[in-house]
């Protein structure tokens, strides 16, 4: 389980945990991003203000039906690792920044 620091969205620990192949529980973020995590596909996303739902997800994935060998928890973890390695490495961040700068340069008038 990882939680973004208060007032901060995105943390390298989240991406490292996902890339390691762990099943990651992480609080939802409000800031839009390219290639966002999807609940139940790449990770288990939770609302830090909804403890009952958080506990239900913990139970499901860690001791309930989702925890069976070869089951949902392992599948979500594997998809999360593949997704992060495809879209959330340092090289992906650099490409995103360069692409955004290229777009900005194309729409900005020359000399001003």
């Amino acid at each position: 389980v990882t939680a973004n620091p208060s007032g901060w969205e995105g943390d390298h620990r989240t991406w490292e945990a996902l890339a390691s192949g762990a099943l990651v529980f992480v609080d939802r973020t409000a800031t839009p991003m390219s290639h966002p995590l999807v609940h139940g596909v790449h990770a288990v996303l939770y609302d830090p203000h909804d403890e009952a739902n958080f506990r239900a997800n913990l139970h499901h994935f860690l001791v309930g039906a989702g925890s069976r060998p070869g089951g949902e928890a392992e599948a979500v973890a594997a998809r999360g690792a593949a997704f992060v390695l495809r879209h959330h490495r340092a090289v992906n961040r650099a490409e995103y920044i360069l692409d955004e700068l290229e777009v900005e340069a194309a729409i900005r008038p020359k000399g001003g």
Side-chain angles (χ1 to χ4, degrees), residues 62-86:
L62 301 181
V63 296
S67 68
R68 294 191 178 105
E72 189 178 3
E74 289 181 13
V76 170
R79 287 191 303 263
F83 183 76
V84 166
L85 293 174
R86 189 175 315 115

Side-chain angles (χ1 to χ4, degrees), residues 11-47:
D11 187 283
H12 69 278
R13 293 172 294 190
T14 300
W15 309 113
E16 290 171 353
L18 284 158
S20 78
L23 175 64
V24 172
F25 285 65
V26 62
D27 53 324
R28 295 179 188 274
T29 59
T31 305
M33 73 167 72
S34 60
H35 307 290
L37 296 172
V38 176
H39 173 73
V41 176
H42 310 116
V44 180
L45 307 182
Y46 65 88
D47 176 348

